[in-house]
């Protein structure tokens, strides 16, 4: 399993919507697991009373919440990667 850098993860979070590939990078997981998580998040979005604009994408904010991501911490790590 490939490990993604903080910069790669932050880059994957720059979109409003997340597909399986973005979830894979953000979670550091395989594509099958990412698809399973996307389906879980789709159900949560629907349970919250929202509709999705098209199949196989979910709001990025739900993905960030799902993985309990501390974006400020990732930004600090990304700066360290760049040597700032």
């Amino acid at each position: 399993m490939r490990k993604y850098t903080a910069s790669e993860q932050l880059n994957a979070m720059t979109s409003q919507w997340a597909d399986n590939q973005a979830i894979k990078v953000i979670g550091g997981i395989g594509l099958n697991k990412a698809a399973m998580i996307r389906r879980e998040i789709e159900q949560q979005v629907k349970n919250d009373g929202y509709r999705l604009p098209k199949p196989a994408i979910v709001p990025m904010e739900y993905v960030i919440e799902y993985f309990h991501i501390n974006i400020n911490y990732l930004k600090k790590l990304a700066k360290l990667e760049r040597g700032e």
Side-chain angles (χ1 to χ4, degrees):
M1 182 72 55
R2 179 167 182 252
K3 293 189 182 208
Y4 295 94
T5 65
S7 296
E8 289 171 318
Q9 290 177 314
L10 283 169
N11 188 47
M13 290 182 221
T14 60
S15 176
Q16 179 181 356
W17 301 99
D19 59 8
N20 292 343
Q21 183 61 35
I23 295 169
K24 175 184 168 187
V25 172
I26 293 165
I29 55 178
L31 202 52
N32 291 338
K33 180 73 172 176
M36 185 192 78
I37 289 170
R38 180 191 43 79
R39 287 189 295 273
E40 286 179 34
I41 293 172
E42 280 178 357
Q43 191 58 52
Q44 181 62 49
V45 170
K46 291 175 184 175
N47 290 346
D48 288 348
Y50 299 107
R51 294 181 185 196
L52 296 169
K54 65 180 191 176
I57 63 168
V58 292
M60 186 61 72
E61 66 182 312
Y62 278 78
V63 175
I64 292 167
E65 183 180 307
Y66 181 92
F67 287 109
H68 305 286
I69 295 172
N70 182 334
I71 294 178
N72 289 328
Y73 178 69
L74 274 181
K75 287 179 180 179
K76 287 178 187 177
L77 290 178
K79 282 183 179 182
L80 289 173
E81 290 169 4
R82 294 188 303 263
E84 294 179 18

